[in-house]
Amino acid sequence: MDFNKNNLYKEIKNFNLEELKQLALFIRNKISNIASTRQIHYASNLGVVELVISIARVFDLEQDTFLIEGGYASYAYKMITNRMKQIDTLRITNGIEGYMNHKESKFDKFGSAHLGDTISMVAGLSIETNNYIICVVGDGAISNGEAFEAINNIATLKRKKLIIILNDNDMFISPPVGGISYSLRNNTHLFNSLGYKYIGPVNGNNIPTLINSLEIVKKEANDKTVMLHIKTIKGLGEDKAEKDKVGYYHVAGNCKEKQPYSKIIADYLKEKTNIDRSIHVINPAMTVGLNFNEYEKEFPNNYHDVGISEQYAVSYASGLYLANKKPVLTFYSTFLQRSYDQLLQNISRNSFPLLLLSCRADLSPGDGDTHHGIYDLSMLKSIPNTNIVSPRNIDQIHWCIDQGLINKNNEIYTIRIPKVPFVDETVPSKKIIEGQWEWMKDNHKATKCIISYGPYCDLIYQNIKDNNDVDLVNALFVNKYDVSNLEKIFNKYQKIIIYERVYQDVLALDFYKYSNQVSSNIKIISMNFKSFPGMGDQEYVDKKNKMSINDILEKVI
């Protein structure tokens, strides 16, 4: 039977059981084929195929609203809802996104990819509707603070035609943590006591069982909010993914990346912890993504995977400090945004020392706007007692970690780390002096200067090394630096280009302010991302946002 068509959501209504099973196999093969060409969210998508097919069979996807928490497990849904012929373009330039996006399709009602918010959103959406709203939430995500707030509030709203499906597979990105996660999956009385109609658990990979259960749920939802508890196998159909109890197959597929800086950091922190057992690493659910698996095995008492609980992670760190420990927080830059209040109130206001690693602090091209790590710097700079550094190579990373562990000024000592190196380092690191920027290229005849920070400095150097009229400065210390850096730059150059791979002017604002103070006629050009950069490969997104190397070179002419 030909499943390679864009109107399957209609045809599924008339498929017999054998055809539905064949469709499930077809979709799994599609997902595996895509993984042979690029990295994708793998095991989670393999696990929900039967669920999506069964929902399409029971509900009207043109009229009813269907959302998957986070959206990363939406591949089967995309294939069924008018994107089967485009699915091979998943996560590539001018292709379809790896998450749900209402701008991509009328079937995607919501575009969030940060877990915990979907139940809250459907609570508002359900205020006045004649159609069903179906929300799928994973067992790891449902213990997130916002998700639990939503569950608590929905209990008092008594909303009809609202269906929450708890997808229980004993895994999240890594195994789910915490008592709430366990209780929600094993206490059949909890939701009934809150006023929900609880049904389950049922086999979430058996199509006949699912269809029957969903028909019951559909009827019950006419009277009250229903919680359907299903048990699925994450990675179903791929033997290694099924047996994975660590999280290696959450994101999997063909990848040509170099060794990520996060692995280098994790290894270095192992060395430091072996010497100083007061070091404690806190990681909100990204053990695999940030390569801390080996650290966790070697120092289980010093490693804390707190699940999708970024706010808790920061407050927990403040408690560790009071217990005479040295807390190290490891965040994806894009998730750091969720912890602003705790950083401000519980760490900064109290002048507690904290080593904060803001990882993947750059574009996340394949993921798109929901995961770009370009907003952390503006956020952090607004918090008092924050020292932000952006090393460009391994030696500088090691130096910064050492300083962050000493933390003599009781600061939020933040190290911004990109996902992978852009190029091999081209200029050996000089001796680092606190607050002093690094002149990677310093020609006495130069009249122009590029200022940047992070590993992109080396790529810039490769492209200007033979131009004697252009110097290059690595602003390693982004917000706490010696003003003599600015004095030297303004005294020497006629044109200054500040290249920042972040949202809006950050360091550039200091240059504009200093220019006004000294009444300078020097031309200052700032380059940064102005809004949401979009999705595509690195070269495409940079070019689209006028942030490519060629764009830099045009500015120095």
Side-chain angles (χ1 to χ4, degrees):
M1 187 171 186
D2 180 20
F3 295 122
N4 195 33
K5 56 183 69 173
N6 277 351
N7 62 345
L8 283 175
Y9 68 95
K10 294 180 179 179
E11 296 194 9
I12 283 174
K13 301 289 186 185
N14 300 315
F15 285 176
N16 59 39
L17 178 58
E18 185 56 35
E19 289 169 332
L20 292 175
K21 290 180 179 178
Q22 289 176 11
L23 175 59
L25 180 62
F26 178 85
I27 289 174
R28 282 199 171 86
N29 287 337
K30 274 277 190 183
I31 293 171
S32 295
N33 288 338
I34 296 170
S36 70
T37 63
R38 72 198 74 117
Q39 273 200 331
I40 61 172
H41 286 97
Y42 192 50
S44 54
N45 279 286
L46 294 177
V48 298
V49 175
E50 287 82 9
L51 174 62
V52 173
I53 291 173
S54 299
I55 287 172
R57 176 63 170 259
V58 174
F59 294 93
D60 183 348
L61 294 183
E62 286 191 300
Q63 300 298 322
D64 299 324
T65 297
F66 175 67
L67 300 104
I68 296 182
E69 175 85 294
Y72 59 84
S74 62
Y75 299 173
Y77 177 70
K78 287 174 181 280
M79 292 186 216
I80 288 171
T81 54
N82 277 3
R83 284 161 283 182
M84 180 67 81
K85 292 184 178 180
Q86 292 79 39
I87 198 65
D88 290 333
T89 69
L90 186 72
R91 290 173 59 89
I92 64 175
T93 301
N94 296 319
I96 60 176
E97 292 195 13
Y99 300 89
M100 298 175 80
N101 186 341
H102 70 278
K103 296 177 182 178
E104 178 180 290
S105 170
K106 67 177 184 179
F107 292 97
D108 295 0
K109 300 296 194 301
F110 193 50
S112 172
H114 287 194
L115 294 165
D117 55 13
T118 305
I119 305 178
S120 301
M121 192 278 293
V122 297
L125 182 62
S126 64
I127 190 170
E128 188 174 351
T129 181
N130 294 318
N131 303 110
Y132 293 96
I133 301 172
I134 308 103
C135 171
V136 180
V137 184
D139 53 342
I142 203 167
S143 61
N144 170 269
E146 185 182 353
F148 211 62
E149 291 172 15
I151 289 171
N152 178 56
N153 278 278
I154 287 176
T156 64
L157 296 177
K158 303 185 185 306
R159 293 282 161 78
K160 299 178 181 180
K161 294 198 172 182
L162 177 56
I163 299 163
I164 301 171
I165 299 176
L166 173 57
N167 179 25
D168 177 2
N169 57 25
D170 287 322
M171 279 289 290
F172 179 53
I173 296 170
S174 302
V177 299
I180 289 177
S181 177
Y182 177 84
S183 178
L184 292 180
R185 292 183 287 123
N186 293 278
N187 187 344
T188 60
H189 302 294
L190 176 62
F191 291 106
N192 285 327
S193 67
L194 287 171
Y196 293 83
K197 174 63 178 180
Y198 172 89
I199 298 174
V202 300
N203 187 337
N205 293 119
N206 183 285
I207 292 176
T209 299
L210 277 172
I211 291 175
N212 181 62
S213 299
L214 288 169
E215 291 287 5
I216 295 171
V217 164
K218 187 175 183 180
K219 182 178 179 180
E220 292 286 351
N222 289 318
D223 296 320
K224 61 170 60 177
T225 302
V226 177
M227 174 69 71
L228 173 62
H229 182 179
I230 66 172
K231 303 279 283 186
T232 61
I233 300 173
K234 190 172 184 178
L236 184 63
E238 168 58 59
D239 185 59
K240 291 181 180 179
E242 286 186 36
K243 294 177 180 178
D244 175 24
K245 297 303 178 185
V246 177
Y248 294 120
Y249 285 85
H250 176 71
V251 174
N254 187 289
C255 180
K256 299 178 180 179
E257 293 174 351
K258 301 177 183 179
Q259 184 184 39
Y261 279 142
S262 58
K263 178 67 165 60
I264 295 166
I265 290 169
D267 288 345
Y268 191 63
L269 283 172
K270 279 199 302 181
E271 295 178 24
K272 305 300 291 187
T273 307
N274 199 43
I275 299 170
D276 182 358
R277 295 302 175 92
S278 69
I279 296 171
H280 282 248
V281 175
I282 308 163
N283 187 319
M286 294 299 164
T287 297
V288 175
L290 292 179
N291 292 282
F292 274 91
N293 305 81
E294 294 179 8
Y295 185 99
E296 182 181 27
K297 290 179 181 177
E298 191 166 338
F299 303 105
N301 296 325
N302 294 69
Y303 185 78
H304 311 267
D305 183 342
V306 299
I308 310 168
S309 307
E310 290 83 4
Q311 296 171 325
Y312 168 80
V314 176
S315 296
Y316 183 63
S318 68
L320 285 176
Y321 166 70
L322 292 173
N324 299 314
K325 307 301 180 184
K326 295 179 181 176
V328 179
L329 264 176
T330 60
F331 277 105
Y332 278 28
S333 169
T334 186
F335 301 138
L336 179 60
Q337 299 150 195
R338 296 151 69 117
S339 61
Y340 183 90
D341 186 63
Q342 287 69 32
L343 286 168
L344 179 67
Q345 295 294 331
N346 297 343
I347 304 293
S348 173
R349 184 177 58 83
N350 290 304
S351 297
F352 288 169
L354 174 67
L355 174 52
L356 174 62
L357 302 176
S358 181
C359 300
R360 303 196 178 196
D362 202 304
L363 294 181
S364 185
D367 291 325
D369 287 332
T370 58
H371 279 62
H372 291 316
I374 62 173
Y375 307 99
D376 60 327
L377 189 47
S378 297
M379 182 190 90
L380 289 166
K381 196 175 179 183
S382 72
I383 297 177
N385 302 324
T386 302
N387 191 347
I388 307 165
V389 294
S390 185
R392 69 176 176 87
N393 58 27
I394 297 170
D395 289 341
Q396 291 185 359
I397 288 174
H398 287 175
W399 186 90
C400 291
I401 290 175
D402 290 344
Q403 300 306 306
L405 290 173
I406 296 169
N407 212 330
K408 59 185 178 182
N409 295 320
N410 285 13
E411 305 166 314
I412 300 175
Y413 193 94
T414 303
I415 307 175
R416 298 189 78 243
I417 308 293
K419 186 175 181 180
V420 292
F422 293 102
V423 294
D424 296 327
E425 75 178 73
T426 54
V427 180
S429 294
K430 301 175 184 177
K431 181 181 178 181
I432 300 174
I433 300 174
E434 187 77 35
Q436 294 297 323
W437 292 345
E438 178 190 26
W439 258 255
M440 295 176 62
K441 191 166 178 285
D442 192 2
N443 189 308
H444 71 280
K445 294 182 179 180
T447 63
K448 304 164 186 173
C449 184
I450 300 171
I451 295 96
S452 191
Y453 42 85
Y456 221 78
C457 287
D458 289 280
L459 185 57
I460 295 172
Y461 177 86
Q462 284 188 341
N463 287 271
I464 64 166
K465 61 184 179 181
D466 297 324
N467 188 335
N468 292 328
D469 195 34
V470 183
D471 281 353
L472 175 62
V473 174
N474 167 28
L476 168 61
F477 303 94
V478 181
N479 69 325
K480 289 197 172 183
Y481 52 83
D482 193 318
V483 72
S484 65
N485 294 292
L486 293 177
E487 292 174 355
K488 179 178 177 179
I489 291 169
F490 275 80
N491 286 334
K492 182 177 181 182
Y493 304 107
Q494 299 172 10
K495 180 187 284 189
I496 301 169
I497 298 97
I498 304 105
Y499 180 82
E500 305 184 77
R501 297 187 64 78
V502 298
Y503 171 63
Q504 291 193 332
D505 295 327
V506 179
L507 182 61
L509 288 176
D510 295 348
F511 279 81
Y512 288 126
K513 184 185 297 184
Y514 189 82
S515 176
N516 291 332
Q517 291 174 354
V518 298
S519 301
S520 171
N521 292 320
I522 295 170
K523 186 173 184 179
I524 300 173
I525 300 172
S526 64
M527 299 179 67
N528 46 67
F529 296 105
K530 309 302 181 185
S531 183
F532 297 104
M535 192 272 290
D537 62 39
Q538 177 99 25
E539 181 180 0
Y540 169 80
V541 178
D542 277 348
K543 185 176 180 180
K544 172 186 174 185
N545 290 275
K546 301 187 183 304
M547 287 289 287
S548 69
I549 285 293
N550 286 336
D551 290 307
I552 300 174
L553 298 179
E554 286 180 5
K555 301 295 183 184
V556 300
I557 297 175

